[in-house]
Each structure stands twice: as C-alpha cells, then as structure tokens.
Amino acid sequence: ALWFQRENAIKETEMRLKDDFIWSLAKGEFQSWDMALSRAKSLNYNIGLPYVCILGYPENLEAIYRKIKKDKPSYEHWIYSTIHSIEELIFQVGKTLQRETMITYQQDRFIIFLEISLGQVNELVKNFLDLLEKRLESHLPKIMISWGIGENHAGVKTFHESFENARIALDIGRRQKGPGQRSTYKNTGIHRALFALANNPDMQEIALSTIGVLIDYDNQRGMDLIHTLTTYIHNQGNVSQTSRILNLHRQSLLYRLRKIENLTGRSLVDPDDLFLFDLSIKLWMSSSAFHKKAGFKTRAN
C-alpha cells in the first residue's frame, strides 16, 4: 500500500510539472529558449519540432453529469477523472497518427500542442480532430467541444503565438458560429477587423448615425428593417430574390426599402451608402459591447 501510494504521488507530481510546463509555454513565460529546452528534456518533450496549438472548450460537461450522476461520485471527483481520461484519449490519438502531443487543461480549456508537418497543417489537424471526436463519442456520448485552431508560424519557438491565435479563433468561433464548431485563426480575419473597428469611437458614431434610427424603428414597430436591409444587400439589390427569401410581397418589400431610405436619408442605389449600411450592420452585429452601446445610444436619441 505504501509503495502504491508513493508511485501515485510521483505520477501526480510528474503530471503537475508537465501541466505547468505546457501552460508556461502557452503563456510565453520562458525567458530563454535554452531554459525551455532544458525543462522539456527533463519531461521527455521534444519542443524542437513544429507544433500548432489547438484549444478545446467542453460546452456541456455539467449537463452530462446531471444526467448520469446517480451512482456517481461528486461532480469535483467526476470532472477530475473525466478531464484526465479525455487527455489520455488525446494522447492516444496523437500516438495513432504518429504525432507528438503536449496536453494540459487550464481555465476550462484543453490546450493541445500537436506536432505538424509544414504544408500539411490543415489536413493533419482535421484528421486529428475527426479521429478524436469519433473516440470521444464512444467514450463520452453527447459531449460537445468547441475548437479553436491557431497558426504554426512556420517553425518552432512559436508556442505563445499559436496559443494566442487559437484563443482568438475559439472566442470568435463560439460567438459567431455557436458551440460545438471548429474555427481557425486564418478564417477569423473579417471578424478581427470588425472587432478592431467596433472599438474605435469615431467608427461607432458613424455606424450608429447610419443605422441607429433603423434599430429604434425595429424596436418600436417590429418591422425588422435591419434584417430586410441585410438580405437586400446580401442579394446584391435583387428585389425579386430578396422578397422571395423574406417571404414578402414585392410591394411590401418596396415599401420597406423606401422606409429605410426615408428614415436614414440615404440611397439604396448609391454604392457608397450601401457599403456604409453593410459595414455599420456588420459592426453592430459582430461585437456585443458595440451592440449594447448601440441600444443605449438609440434609446437616448
């Protein structure tokens, strides 16, 4: 019994050291590459390989536990063992694909550094997550995980950069696509640009002066002019197609479009006005902080 207790203590210490090391890599806390190499070697990690960071956020662990908690230990014990079993699955999937992995669970997210081959990042990540999700479904049915995938930055020594990319991809993906989806940093460019613009006070004022009156009108009358305008722009000003998608009579749609022009004082045939409408709506919809400010401003007006 004492021997088993000692072995467990050694294993727990080793796991904690590995967790701390990977978390430090992700946060960019090592002051020198030699120090990181020395720590990695003592933990049997090879950080001289190219890696990409993948973040996984479990969306429904508490919901799963509530359904199966009969004859189960406390949630704290269950979540501890569940996290470790998922980490073991991640390690086994990497082994199956003959790829090195470094895994930890921090701040309610799995942090995975997956060894990749330059030029094959997308294919390798897809194969890795496909196989992992298949095994997770057998191990823990109904689990839902949102994934954020960073960039490799073409080499080693880029753990922190790839982690930050994955974090941004995860956050934007959950906001834009909802839970349980995969998002890559590369495909979040438009949303990152919109978030940057949404934080600019001048841009906020321009957008609110453009569509604020439409937001107010929708709140008061429920006509949904914002959705009408978005659909009209998306269909490149095609009235017939827009009325079909909105399930509106052509004359009803034309009435709404004239209402939009009258309320805003802008023209739906002017390319500059259409661009400003489209940009303002995207800004309003992309940022929750900007969305709240828009609601406050329009009520004040």
Side-chain angles (χ1 to χ4, degrees):
L2 287 172
W3 184 85
F4 277 115
Q5 189 176 21
R6 177 177 172 274
E7 288 298 304
N8 285 336
I10 292 172
K11 189 174 180 180
E12 287 287 335
T13 301
E14 183 181 355
M15 289 171 59
R16 189 163 55 251
L17 288 172
K18 287 185 173 182
D19 284 339
D20 291 344
F21 172 74
I22 298 167
W23 187 218
S24 294
L25 269 183
K27 292 188 292 183
E29 290 184 341
F30 285 102
Q31 296 179 352
S32 74
W33 181 244
D34 288 340
M35 184 185 299
L37 281 172
S38 176
R39 285 276 303 278
K41 187 177 180 180
S42 69
L43 297 169
N44 294 317
Y45 285 140
N46 183 357
I47 60 172
L49 300 169
Y51 289 86
V52 66
C53 185
I54 304 170
L55 294 185
Y57 181 82
E59 299 280 356
N60 60 339
L61 287 178
E62 288 190 32
I64 291 174
Y65 176 76
R66 284 196 296 270
K67 288 183 179 179
I68 64 171
K69 67 179 180 179
K70 189 176 181 181
D71 302 324
K72 294 289 181 184
S74 68
Y75 178 72
E76 288 72 21
H77 284 88
W78 179 83
I79 196 70
Y80 179 82
S81 62
T82 299
I83 293 302
H84 280 289
S85 64
I86 293 175
E87 288 179 330
E88 181 61 26
L89 276 179
I90 294 169
F91 174 76
Q92 291 300 330
V93 168
K95 206 171 178 182
T96 299
L97 297 177
Q98 298 182 321
R99 297 286 158 177
E100 294 287 332
T101 54
M102 296 186 290
I103 310 140
T104 186
Y105 186 77
Q106 304 287 341
Q107 298 181 343
D108 299 326
R109 300 168 298 184
F110 291 101
I111 302 173
I112 307 165
F113 286 107
L114 173 69
E115 178 200 351
I116 50 91
S117 299
L118 299 180
Q120 296 181 325
V121 179
N122 294 337
E123 182 183 352
L124 282 169
V125 170
K126 181 182 183 303
N127 292 340
F128 176 81
L129 291 179
D130 285 348
L131 182 55
L132 177 57
E133 288 182 338
K134 185 177 179 181
R135 294 192 181 180
L136 279 170
E137 182 59 32
S138 301
H139 176 76
L140 198 61
K142 306 301 181 184
I143 188 171
M144 179 187 293
I145 299 181
S146 300
W147 300 101
I149 302 156
E151 295 284 300
N152 168 257
H153 296 286
V156 298
K157 303 184 184 180
T158 58
F159 296 97
H160 176 61
E161 291 86 348
S162 190
F163 168 75
E164 283 298 315
N165 293 166
R167 182 186 61 77
I168 291 169
L170 178 64
D171 291 345
I172 292 177
R174 292 181 71 223
R175 244 177 298 183
Q176 298 297 324
K177 299 180 181 178
Q181 305 296 318
R182 300 178 190 177
S183 300
T184 63
Y185 182 75
K186 186 179 294 183
N187 294 333
T188 61
I190 181 65
H191 301 295
R192 285 182 278 125
L194 289 171
F195 289 150
L197 285 173
N199 290 324
N200 182 287
D202 290 337
M203 195 64 243
Q204 290 175 359
E205 292 302 324
I206 292 170
L208 289 173
S209 67
T210 302
I211 63 169
V213 65
L214 300 181
I215 299 169
D216 267 345
Y217 196 87
D218 283 349
N219 289 337
Q220 295 166 11
R221 306 291 182 88
M223 190 174 280
D224 212 3
L225 295 181
I226 291 288
H227 181 54
T228 301
L229 180 55
T230 303
T231 308
Y232 177 77
I233 294 172
H234 181 74
N235 288 281
Q236 299 177 325
N238 188 313
V239 173
S240 298
Q241 194 169 337
T242 303
S243 62
R244 204 162 41 243
I245 291 172
L246 293 174
N247 197 25
L248 279 174
H249 190 276
R250 182 183 177 88
Q251 292 304 317
S252 297
L253 174 60
L254 290 173
Y255 171 78
R256 288 191 184 187
L257 296 178
R258 285 195 298 270
K259 177 63 71 174
I260 290 169
E261 290 183 320
N262 291 335
L263 287 171
T264 61
R266 297 184 182 276
S267 169
L268 291 176
V269 296
D270 185 316
D272 290 340
D273 283 347
L274 281 173
F275 172 78
L276 193 55
F277 275 134
D278 192 29
L279 178 60
S280 298
I281 292 172
K282 281 185 168 65
L283 288 172
W284 180 65
M285 295 179 69
S286 68
S287 170
S288 58
F290 182 70
H291 200 156
K292 289 176 183 175
K293 182 174 181 180
F296 173 79
K297 285 271 186 176
T298 51
R299 282 194 299 272
N301 289 338

